[in-house]
Amino acid sequence: MARRYDWEAIEADFRTGRFSLQKLSDRHGPSKGAISKRATTHGWSKDLTGAVQQRTREKLSRPESAAPDVPEAELIEQAACENASVVNGHRQMLQRWRRIQDTFAGQLDTQLSTGKREVETRDGDVIEVDVDLEYAGKCIGYGTQALERVIKLERQSYGMDLPAGEETPPEHALTDDELEAKIKAYESRGADDQS
């Protein structure tokens, strides 16, 4: 007997644009080829990708914002919640790495100010030795690399560095009524300029 799949759920996940065919196959059961064929036959398109990304940005910057008034609002909301959860998890990990980097910098600062560091000998004894320039240079190099990576990842996670040509999402997106009012105002200015 042929297996039955939840093609509505597969189509919903497909349309969000969040999953590759392999991930859809792993998640729902049918082969990649079967999903691809069904998508082509039924004209599925990944038309919600942009809306999901926009809603994810909104959830990360304004978690209390209302759901968009579109027919696919439920799909978009669910996908955006999952995306926001992933990004928030990344942010928590980055906070941990920042604390580790701060601890490392503090230890190095102490060693450099005293001019001494503790090392373990082959016998297992701990002795104090002078901080040499090679050691200090390596530590500074490792520390700055770690800091650079944490800062880069934090900036990406918080949307501070958007790809070239992409504008920062507005703090307050205009409602349909506000947008229509702006359009009418521009149209009336244009009509005044022509007269």
Side-chain angles (χ1 to χ4, degrees), residues 130-176:
D130 291 338
V131 173
D132 60 89
L133 288 178
E134 181 180 354
Y135 168 81
K138 284 181 181 179
C139 288
I140 291 170
Y142 294 144
T144 54
Q145 281 180 344
L147 180 61
E148 180 181 43
R149 288 176 183 153
V150 168
I151 289 171
K152 179 181 177 185
L153 293 171
E154 283 176 331
R155 293 184 69 84
Q156 287 174 355
S157 177
Y158 285 92
M160 298 169 110
D161 295 330
L162 296 172
E166 189 175 324
E167 293 182 25
T168 305
E171 281 291 319
H172 170 69
L174 297 176
T175 65
D176 289 342

Side-chain angles (χ1 to χ4, degrees), residues 3 20 39 47 49 80 140 182:
R3 284 186 66 187
S20 67
D47 56 351
T49 304
I140 291 170
K182 279 194 172 253

Side-chain angles (χ1 to χ4, degrees), residues 104-116:
F104 174 78
Q107 289 175 351
L108 180 61
D109 190 36
T110 300
Q111 290 174 349
L112 292 174
S113 64
T114 63
K116 302 283 185 190

